[in-house]
Amino acid sequence: YSNFVDNLRVYVRGGTGGMGYPNLGGEGGRGGDVWFVARERTTLKSIREKYPHKRFIAGTGANSSVKALKGEKGKDCEVHVPLGISVLDDDGKQIGELNAAGEKFLAARGGLGGSLATNFLPCKGQRRTVHLDLKLIADVGLVGFPNAGKSSLLSKISHAKPEIANYAFTTIQPELGKVMYADYKQISVADLPGLIEGAHANKGMGHKFLKHIERTKQLLLVVDISGFQLSTKTQFRTAFETILLLTKELELYKEELVTKPALLAINKMDLPCAKDNLDQLMTQLENPQDFLHLLEEEIIPANTLEFREVIPISTYTGEGIEELKTCLRKSIDEQAEQMNEEYRKKKLLLLQTSK
């Protein structure tokens, strides 16, 4: 997990202002500012490696002089950060957010230069410690228990090459892939390490990875049709129970996650008895309320997820992969159209009220 950095604590300090010139009423230059600027192809790990001391200090303002009564402003310090950064203060309060390339956040303001108001003495710049918290931005987030086949699926539908093995926790850091279509449309997909029961309470890798689901537009649950059991000491869960448990974990971490548009991929359809298990699962999904009384109360979510599509697949044989890619494209396009329609309605309403 140490290879992937999604949180960094840094010290920022605005530059000190320049000295004023009392004899001629000269004003010192203002100190430089520290800015965080969102850039593509930047990582928190590269920032940590390039600036091991994690200190960013802007330049000092120029002193006032006979040649230049108004001193020049100190040099700004720009720190390039990845997209999807939340800026938090030491108390954990969010003070800024950077989600698009080119967006800027003023992390520390420079001090005023010396002037008549300050008795020609310069002011120090703002100084503080802030946390850079990364939440991946992706169109689709893959959610599932360990060994459900998320890494295999990502490698099938995109150009990503995640590590794939036959043990439970294959994915130990988030992976991003791009699904490419014939008309050059791209959909970004984030594969998150497998959740376990109790992830909402920070068990396993819990909150370190659940937070990355927050900025995905849609969810794609990946479920093993034959069920799931983490170890011999844990309880076996059927595919239906797995779906309910995943929903419960998302709901307990943050209720809004369950309101995201969701699709369901039923994996490992190449296994024996998969067809029978799928028929049973589809019956349970059509009328979930009829089967909830058979389950323990603690695994039943307050709201069950409504899936736009349920697609049986096999990452081993390739069955259903193309259909899944088509469904992803359709779902993302529909969501974009819905958001555009809502935006148009808001603009129309604003025009009507302004008249």
Side-chain angles (χ1 to χ4, degrees):
Y1 179 69
S2 60
N3 288 331
F4 178 77
V5 181
D6 58 7
N7 191 284
L8 200 63
R9 187 170 180 262
V10 299
Y11 173 80
V12 290
R13 192 177 84 201
T16 304
M19 290 289 292
Y21 201 106
N23 295 347
L24 299 173
E27 199 173 298
R30 187 190 183 99
D33 304 318
V34 179
W35 293 88
F36 294 142
V37 185
R39 285 281 186 274
E40 300 274 7
R41 294 184 291 278
T42 303
T43 64
L44 290 182
K45 185 183 178 186
S46 65
I47 295 173
R48 189 178 68 177
E49 289 172 349
K50 191 174 180 181
Y51 307 100
H53 296 297
K54 295 174 284 185
R55 292 170 62 88
F56 300 98
I57 301 168
T60 303
N63 295 333
S64 173
S65 65
V66 175
K67 291 181 180 178
L69 289 177
K70 175 70 176 174
E72 287 189 11
K73 186 183 180 222
K75 189 177 180 182
D76 287 349
C77 173
E78 283 198 356
V79 186
H80 293 169
V81 298
L83 278 58
I85 285 289
S86 294
V87 185
L88 313 174
D89 63 16
D90 250 350
D91 297 325
K93 182 184 173 185
Q94 185 171 311
I95 54 177
E97 204 171 46
L98 297 158
N99 292 324
E103 283 187 355
K104 300 176 78 173
F105 172 75
L106 180 58
R109 190 180 292 279
L112 293 171
S115 64
L116 183 63
T118 63
N119 202 22
F120 298 99
L121 296 174
C123 299
K124 290 183 177 179
Q126 184 183 11
R127 60 185 70 196
R128 58 182 170 181
T129 301
V130 295
H131 296 259
L132 301 177
D133 189 40
L134 175 67
K135 294 175 186 174
L136 292 179
I137 297 176
D139 295 314
V140 179
L142 298 182
V143 181
F145 280 137
N147 227 17
K150 299 187 304 302
S151 297
S152 300
L153 177 59
L154 186 68
S155 68
K156 287 281 184 185
I157 63 176
S158 76
H159 295 292
K161 292 182 172 58
E163 183 184 350
I164 299 166
N166 60 355
Y167 50 86
F169 287 100
T170 305
T171 306
I172 55 171
Q173 64 184 46
E175 293 276 355
L176 265 178
K178 295 270 188 185
V179 185
M180 310 285 287
Y181 292 89
D183 62 352
Y184 303 106
K185 166 84 174 180
Q186 295 183 21
I187 291 176
S188 55
V189 180
D191 172 24
L192 308 172
L195 300 180
I196 61 170
E197 289 185 49
H200 70 276
N202 220 10
K203 286 186 180 177
M205 295 186 177
H207 295 181
K208 286 182 179 177
F209 297 124
L210 274 168
K211 69 176 184 178
H212 291 298
I213 303 172
E214 291 181 43
R215 287 206 177 116
T216 58
K217 294 177 184 174
Q218 300 194 7
L219 304 178
L220 174 59
L221 269 67
V222 184
V223 172
D224 187 334
I225 188 60
S226 58
F228 169 72
Q229 187 173 20
L230 184 62
S231 70
T232 52
K233 295 178 182 178
T234 59
Q235 191 172 341
F236 173 79
R237 299 295 187 185
T238 64
F240 181 60
E241 290 174 326
T242 300
I243 293 166
L244 293 178
L245 271 167
L246 287 170
T247 307
K248 184 78 172 177
E249 290 301 327
L250 296 176
E251 184 180 75
L252 288 171
Y253 174 70
K254 190 164 280 191
E255 284 184 34
E256 304 92 86
L257 296 181
V258 187
T259 64
K260 287 179 182 285
L263 292 88
L264 175 63
I266 310 293
N267 194 21
K268 305 190 182 179
M269 288 303 297
D270 54 284
L271 296 177
C273 301
K275 301 291 184 191
D276 294 336
N277 288 341
L278 180 62
D279 291 340
Q280 183 185 0
L281 176 61
M282 294 306 290
T283 304
Q284 291 169 323
L285 289 174
E286 283 169 14
N287 300 291
Q289 301 302 325
D290 296 346
F291 301 92
L292 296 182
H293 68 279
L294 302 171
L295 309 171
E296 308 101 292
E297 194 175 328
E298 59 268 19
I299 76 165
I300 301 172
N303 298 290
T304 52
L305 276 170
E306 291 186 14
F307 299 106
R308 293 189 170 194
E309 299 280 354
V310 177
I311 310 103
I313 64 167
S314 168
T315 53
Y316 181 71
T317 64
E319 175 193 342
I321 298 298
E322 287 305 314
E323 184 190 350
L324 175 60
K325 288 171 71 173
T326 304
C327 289
L328 281 175
R329 171 70 182 268
K330 181 185 170 189
S331 186
I332 290 290
D333 286 349
E334 284 176 357
Q335 187 183 15
E337 183 55 39
Q338 186 182 344
M339 289 173 72
N340 287 339
E341 186 61 33
E342 287 173 5
Y343 177 75
R344 284 194 290 268
K345 284 179 181 177
K346 281 181 183 177
K347 292 289 282 185
L348 186 62
L349 187 64
L350 281 169
L351 283 169
Q352 289 170 346
T353 52
S354 63
K355 285 177 183 178

